[in-house]
């Protein structure tokens, strides 16, 4: 079992031992005590988009890239120039500067 699954199972234990609440059941309980789950989810993703680039949030949360980009634009985030992909490689012939180079 993954660490995240274990943590959810401990934080929100279900009726069966070692099993977490089902998401729909937990959502219903939160709604009963006045927590608007859809609004909270939307606020949480918008906050993530202010802190991280839209493609990173999309990959991490399983959203489509277009959805996170649209939400970013609605939120007014500043990650418009993020280029997704592998940033560890360098083009042929290009050598990164070392700290002693001028």
């Amino acid at each position: 079992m993954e660490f995240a699954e274990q943590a959810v199972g401990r934080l929100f234990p279900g009726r069966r031992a070692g099993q977490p609440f089902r998401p729909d059941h937990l959502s219903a309980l939160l709604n009963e005590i006045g927590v608007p789950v859809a609004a909270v989810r939307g606020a949480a993703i918008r906050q993530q988009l202010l802190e991280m680039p839209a493609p990173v949030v999309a990959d991490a949360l399983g959203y489509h890239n277009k959805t996170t980009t649209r939400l970013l634009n609605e939120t007014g985030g500043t990650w418009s120039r993020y280029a997704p992909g592998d940033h560890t490689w360098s083009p042929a012939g290009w050598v990164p500067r070392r700290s002693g180079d001028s």
Side-chain angles (χ1 to χ4, degrees), residues 3-93:
F3 175 75
E5 292 173 359
Q6 291 175 352
V8 169
R10 288 189 183 114
L11 290 172
F12 304 105
R15 291 183 182 197
R16 294 176 51 201
Q19 297 295 314
F21 267 61
R22 290 188 337 263
D24 58 331
H25 183 67
L26 185 57
S27 178
L29 290 174
L30 289 170
N31 279 322
E32 282 180 22
I33 61 171
V35 176
V37 177
V40 170
R41 185 181 307 125
I45 190 171
R46 283 174 173 80
Q47 181 62 40
Q48 288 296 309
L49 287 168
L50 291 174
E51 297 173 8
M52 294 186 293
V56 173
V57 174
D59 286 343
L61 300 179
Y63 280 80
H64 193 278
N65 213 9
K66 289 183 180 182
T67 303
T68 55
T69 301
R70 179 181 52 79
L71 290 171
L72 175 67
N73 291 335
E74 292 173 5
T75 306
T78 58
W79 287 99
S80 62
R81 298 190 187 274
Y82 175 77
D86 182 10
H87 297 276
T88 59
W89 67 275
S90 62

